[in-house]
Amino acid sequence: MITFDSQQQVFNLSNSKISYLFSIEEGGLLSHLYYGPRIRHYHGERRYPRIDRGFSGNLPHSKDRTYSKDDLLQEYSGNNTGDYRLPAITVKGSDGARFTDFRYDSYRIIDGKPALPGLPSSYVKDNDEAQTLEVNLKDATLKLTLTLVYSIYKDRAVVTRNARLQNNSNQPIDIEKIASMQLDLTKHDYDLVYLPGQYALERQTRRVALNQGIFEISSRRDSSSHHMNPFAALVDKDTDEFHGNALGVLLVYSGNHKISIERDQIDQTRLIAGINDFNFSWHLEPGESFQTPEAITVFSTKGLNGMSQIFHHLLRERVARGKFQYADRPIVINNWEATFFDFNDQKLDEVVKEAKPLGIEMFVLDDGWFGHRNDDNSSLGDWFVNKDKVNLKRVAKQTHDAGMKFGLWFEPEMISVDSDLYRKHPDWALAEPGRGSTLSRNQLVLDFSRPEVVDNIFQQMCKILDAVSIDYIKWDCNRNLTEVYSQAVSPDHEGEIAHREILGVYSLMDRLTKRYPNILFEGCSGGGGRFDAGILYYMPQSWPSDDTDAAERLKIQDGTSLVYPISSMSAHVSVSPNQQTGRSISFKTRGDVAMAGVFGYELDLAKLTDDEKQQVKKQIAFYKQHRHLIQYGDFYRLESPFTSNTVAWEFVSPDKSEALLFMFRQQHTNRMEIVNTKMVALDPQRDYSDMTSDQVFGGDELMNVGLYRDPKHVGDYLSEVHYFKEV
Ligand code: GLA
């Protein structure tokens, strides 16, 4: 998969789908040549066309005025040494100088794909699956070695990247920026597709035209955030859901991130992705090294759906791990929107009693069971049972006796001022002494850069998990970071705290998921504030949003699906009118939207009418029948709520023997639009029976002629679901 042509000085990473090519240019600069569909033979016309460009300087000691770092397509740019575009790395030397100039030194190719210490990353199950290229570059003055790491999978249109910096000098240095990757692309008119959002309205797909200047996708909240997912795709102007090129970049990281896209003076595009350099610095003593998180790049020639497919397969198959990676996920009843903090044993028993006959498989007890927590003002950090309110062991037993699984909510990274933990260890919260602390949801953030703090929370959680039989954990994180300052490190290291905080979070997740392999973990951060590939490595599913309004969920789930697989996305039916938006939507549509994810309920079952209970039973029976297809089939957006009033999502089994079609209409208007939905990825030669109407259609007909929505449907937010089975 990876070769080096020593004559042409070209590295070639190729598999049956893609090629990634770069060369060692004059002066030992690494120059990007190509990333895209597979090239059988690269014929070697690699030299970059040289031009004497005014105000673009040349290499030191060279009289050649036509060779400039300022327009060369580079693999990883330094700082203050001739490339005026954004650098991938900035270092402050012990003399205060900020220069970086890395030149080629050596390389090695290894089978497989090494794990990154302390960080999540995509992996291989055996070493035949991928190859890895490590290219060492040196900055001769600073005596630093930079290793650029590239891995290519045998059967996937994926190249992963990361970088490592080693201090071989006898002086400390401070890293001020170090990206996971840089990608320089030749002149081209790209559109950018990305996923901005906000609390309770996450991952809203946007597409903008790129022009000269810098576009930044970033978070400074020390969380991947509701506001900007760590993802970007560069697409051609004519790329749509099914056609055209899409180059996707995703960081496997949950902290401050930044993807910058710069279009330079001659319309070349540079993309740099990694840890955000905002308030970042990392003090590196002689002999020490720094490892960046991983960036995943994918290349699709089949539009955005093609890109999503590559991401879905990779994230599901080689990022998610553990016992539940491919397991059918249980149907949940969560008490949060039903009771909020106001519950006791009797109310919880009621939930289980109601849920069981409906076919629900797991009861999740949400926030409020610990310390003396009856609202969101107290007790985070006190992970012992609030015995005045609930007998946790008994509730777990009761749930298990009813034949259901039992799940529990935690928010491990946080601390309330009103908590025993804070009273004992006020310095364990991130804060600078003498400066007030910003409260958010009345809580502070624990200093997880300190191992003793992580240990304490680990031990408290183990005590509960060892005493009570728990099948599932909802891991919440309900605020972003401020006053990022640790009282346990010297001033030299304060710039490291945001990243060290995330490393602490990962270490706790790692220890708990290893110690309790039979617990299914679900990520959550005030809904979908940390829906990212880093969390997915530890937790195969996450709560995409606190907004459970089916209308808004259409967009949230559609946007999330751009990158993340359906098996990672939980979705619950909640009460109507919806508690977040006040909108009323039929029980059927709420069910259909939630069934397009990892299904569950989040309402007071006792308040349902008999008719609604019958509907719940039907939904659950239907979901159980098709759960595997939904959670692990191939998912396609046929009509997206961001571009159309109608929405259609399709799930197809890999062997094309069955498919599910979910169709929704957002607003009804008297235009009475007639929409013809065409399915995809079926076998044109096979016939399929629509189990809803009992009609038989050819795969060719479903894909080319298509289906109309039921014309009798009048009203907003109506849905239709069809199940097709090969006959
Ligand atoms: C967050 C979660 C909710 C719920 C509450 C509990 O907002 O997203 O689902 O668990 O916390 O406080």
Side-chain angles (χ1 to χ4, degrees), residues 336 341 366-367 409 441 474 476 478 524 526-527 543 546 602:
W336 179 244
F341 292 102
D366 211 282
D367 193 356
W409 181 96
R441 210 192 189 208
K474 178 173 172 187
D476 217 329
N478 274 321
C524 178
W543 181 231
D546 274 354
E602 191 150 340

Side-chain angles (χ1 to χ4, degrees), residues 199 202 226 334 336-337 340-341 366-368 373 376 380 409-411 441 443 474 476-478 523-529 543 545-548 572 602:
Y199 169 69
E202 298 85 341
H226 305 82
N334 179 305
W336 179 244
E337 287 199 25
F340 295 102
F341 292 102
D366 211 282
D367 193 356
R373 188 151 162 109
D376 59 15
L380 295 167
W409 181 96
F410 283 94
E411 195 179 351
R441 210 192 189 208
Q443 63 198 53
K474 178 173 172 187
D476 217 329
C477 169
N478 274 321
C524 178
S525 172
W543 181 231
S545 184
D546 274 354
D547 186 344
T548 54
H572 299 167
E602 191 150 340

Side-chain angles (χ1 to χ4, degrees), residues 250-406:
L250 177 68
L251 285 166
V252 188
Y253 190 56
S254 314
N256 283 340
H257 60 80
K258 180 154 131 183
I259 303 179
S260 319
I261 299 130
E262 178 171 12
R263 186 153 145 177
D264 71 9
Q265 55 179 332
I266 50 171
D267 295 314
Q268 302 180 126
T269 299
R270 167 169 295 178
L271 182 150
I272 292 181
I275 294 178
N276 198 329
D277 52 340
F278 164 81
N279 278 356
F280 172 85
S281 71
W282 195 277
H283 190 71
L284 208 60
E285 290 288 341
E288 288 184 344
S289 62
F290 181 84
Q291 172 65 58
T292 74
E294 174 169 282
I296 295 172
T297 73
V298 312
F299 198 94
S300 158
T301 52
K302 295 190 179 132
L304 292 169
N305 267 306
M307 178 193 75
S308 303
Q309 293 283 320
I310 303 168
F311 274 127
H312 290 184
H313 280 274
L314 183 79
L315 293 176
R316 213 159 62 194
E317 294 156 13
R318 292 296 180 264
V319 175
R321 300 173 303 163
K323 185 174 163 185
F324 300 95
Q325 184 183 2
Y326 299 113
D328 285 356
R329 309 288 169 71
I331 299 170
V332 164
I333 174 74
N334 179 305
N335 72 309
W336 179 244
E337 287 199 25
T339 67
F340 295 102
F341 292 102
D342 181 20
F343 58 82
N344 52 30
D345 272 29
Q346 197 196 334
K347 278 198 189 171
L348 300 180
D349 286 354
E350 237 0 83
V351 177
V352 175
K353 210 175 92 208
E354 290 283 347
K356 178 62 192 166
L358 299 173
I360 292 174
E361 297 161 321
M362 179 158 77
F363 165 48
V364 177
L365 174 55
D366 211 282
D367 193 356
W369 57 268
F370 52 92
H372 61 275
R373 188 151 162 109
N374 289 311
D375 54 35
D376 59 15
N377 290 313
S378 83
S379 303
L380 295 167
D382 292 349
W383 298 107
F384 47 82
V385 180
N386 179 353
K387 293 201 171 118
D388 294 339
K389 192 169 176 185
V390 59
N391 180 339
L392 197 64
K393 259 191 194 166
R394 203 201 54 79
V395 176
K397 182 167 183 317
Q398 180 92 350
T399 310
H400 286 136
D401 287 351
M404 288 168 61
K405 293 180 188 307
F406 179 62

Side-chain angles (χ1 to χ4, degrees), residues 156-287:
R156 300 172 195 270
V158 174
V159 173
T160 65
R161 304 264 315 253
N162 70 77
R164 203 163 59 230
L165 187 70
Q166 163 97 24
N167 184 357
N168 297 321
S169 75
N170 51 18
Q171 299 287 332
I173 54 129
D174 290 295
I175 306 170
E176 296 187 330
K177 176 178 184 179
I178 181 162
S180 302
M181 65 166 286
Q182 172 177 327
L183 188 61
D184 278 5
L185 301 162
T186 48
K187 178 180 189 301
H188 191 70
D189 244 341
Y190 288 108
D191 277 357
L192 170 71
V193 178
Y194 65 115
L195 292 172
Q198 63 183 92
Y199 169 69
L201 209 61
E202 298 85 341
R203 291 171 299 286
Q204 302 289 298
T205 307
R206 294 284 178 272
R207 180 170 181 155
V208 294
L210 287 172
N211 217 317
Q212 280 173 341
I214 297 170
F215 196 101
E216 180 180 307
I217 290 166
S218 66
S219 163
R220 291 178 290 276
R221 298 167 176 270
D222 211 23
S223 166
S224 50
S225 85
H226 305 82
H227 308 77
M228 203 60 97
N229 204 255
F231 155 80
L234 298 176
V235 305
D236 290 350
K237 290 285 171 203
D238 59 358
T239 295
D240 62 20
E241 282 284 15
F242 290 99
H243 312 95
N245 293 330
L247 193 171
V249 175
L250 177 68
L251 285 166
V252 188
Y253 190 56
S254 314
N256 283 340
H257 60 80
K258 180 154 131 183
I259 303 179
S260 319
I261 299 130
E262 178 171 12
R263 186 153 145 177
D264 71 9
Q265 55 179 332
I266 50 171
D267 295 314
Q268 302 180 126
T269 299
R270 167 169 295 178
L271 182 150
I272 292 181
I275 294 178
N276 198 329
D277 52 340
F278 164 81
N279 278 356
F280 172 85
S281 71
W282 195 277
H283 190 71
L284 208 60
E285 290 288 341

